[in-house]
Amino acid sequence: MCIVFVGGWATSRQQYPLLSESARFLVPFTGFEPNELPELIGRGGDVLVGWSTGAHMLLKDCRHLFGLYGKVLLIAPFLSFTDSFPTRLIKGMIAGMESDPAAVVSSFHENCGETKPPAYDPADHDFLIAGLEYLITSKIEPDEVMNLSHCTIAHGSKDRIVRRKAFEKLTAVIEEAEILNFEGGHKISETQLMSIIKG
């Protein structure tokens, strides 16, 4: 099975070890620039998965490629990250990246529901700041309702990153997608994720 996984801000392979062994594992900012994503996923495959910022990027720039995949799964997508987090809080994270970046990244992972946050890599510093700046400005403003007929849109009941109101703002402008609510936080467990992929 050909699986392409597009992660979120500060995603690490450590978070999904089994998936990272079997899937093409793409991480925004530290692994690629947003404008490179359409080319990176353009060969198609069996399953395309986007998580958080990765799901946002796929919806924003790659909807025309969804038909190249047998299944598309978008976990905790959003139209604008500022629908969940005010710009001042994101700017606070950027300021924190200059004073104590390890603490900012660790706190973010903990808020995702991550029990064993991956270690901060100083080499990622500038890329992670660029990612936060992207999250302040990037928005999807659909001209019409988006038809996502072979997509599953998933959201955790205890998600503290992409909050319910932001998720509902997105689902209000899509049609034909399967909406899946799962027990958990922003980070879907690998067991839950693999079950959906294979289901």
Side-chain angles (χ1 to χ4, degrees):
M1 179 181 283
C2 176
I3 303 169
V4 178
F5 175 85
V6 186
W9 186 79
T11 295
S12 165
R13 288 177 176 270
Q14 295 171 243
Q15 294 178 280
Y16 293 112
L18 295 177
L19 183 65
S20 68
E21 288 178 4
S22 59
R24 190 163 175 225
F25 203 92
L26 305 174
V27 181
F29 314 115
T30 58
F32 68 87
E33 294 293 326
N35 64 352
E36 296 173 326
L37 187 56
E39 183 176 352
L40 289 172
I41 70 161
R43 285 178 289 181
D46 297 307
V47 184
L48 175 63
V49 182
W51 173 34
S52 192
T53 298
H56 169 80
M57 290 177 167
L58 289 174
L59 271 176
K60 183 179 180 183
D61 298 319
C62 302
R63 290 198 306 277
H64 63 292
L65 299 172
F66 286 1
L68 299 175
Y69 291 83
K71 178 191 289 188
V72 177
L73 171 61
L74 303 174
I75 305 158
F78 49 86
L79 295 175
S80 170
F81 193 63
T82 56
D83 290 336
S84 283
F85 269 66
T87 299
R88 62 179 175 79
L89 293 182
I90 305 172
K91 287 183 175 180
M93 291 176 69
I94 293 172
M97 288 294 296
E98 298 298 353
S99 57
D100 193 350
V104 171
V105 174
S106 178
S107 176
F108 174 77
H109 283 304
E110 288 170 7
N111 282 324
C112 288
E114 182 63 76
T115 54
K116 296 179 181 178
Y120 165 70
D121 183 349
D124 293 342
H125 179 268
D126 291 348
F127 300 109
L128 292 175
I129 290 177
L132 291 171
E133 291 170 343
Y134 170 91
L135 287 171
I136 290 174
T137 60
S138 183
K139 292 175 173 53
I140 300 171
E141 297 176 351
D143 295 328
E144 56 189 27
V145 173
M146 296 183 283
N147 187 307
L148 302 178
S149 57
H150 75 301
C151 295
T152 298
I153 313 292
H155 186 251
S157 59
K158 300 176 183 175
D159 194 331
R160 297 173 61 186
I161 302 297
V162 176
R163 301 177 189 275
R164 173 62 55 183
K165 65 177 183 178
F167 183 71
E168 290 177 347
K169 187 172 180 179
L170 168 70
T171 58
V173 295
I174 63 176
E175 62 183 8
E176 303 297 329
E178 176 187 2
I179 308 299
L180 176 64
N181 293 293
F182 62 88
E183 286 296 319
H186 187 63
K187 186 206 176 215
I188 188 170
S189 73
E190 188 162 59
T191 301
Q192 288 173 310
L193 178 55
M194 295 308 291
S195 176
I196 297 170
I197 288 173
K198 294 176 180 178

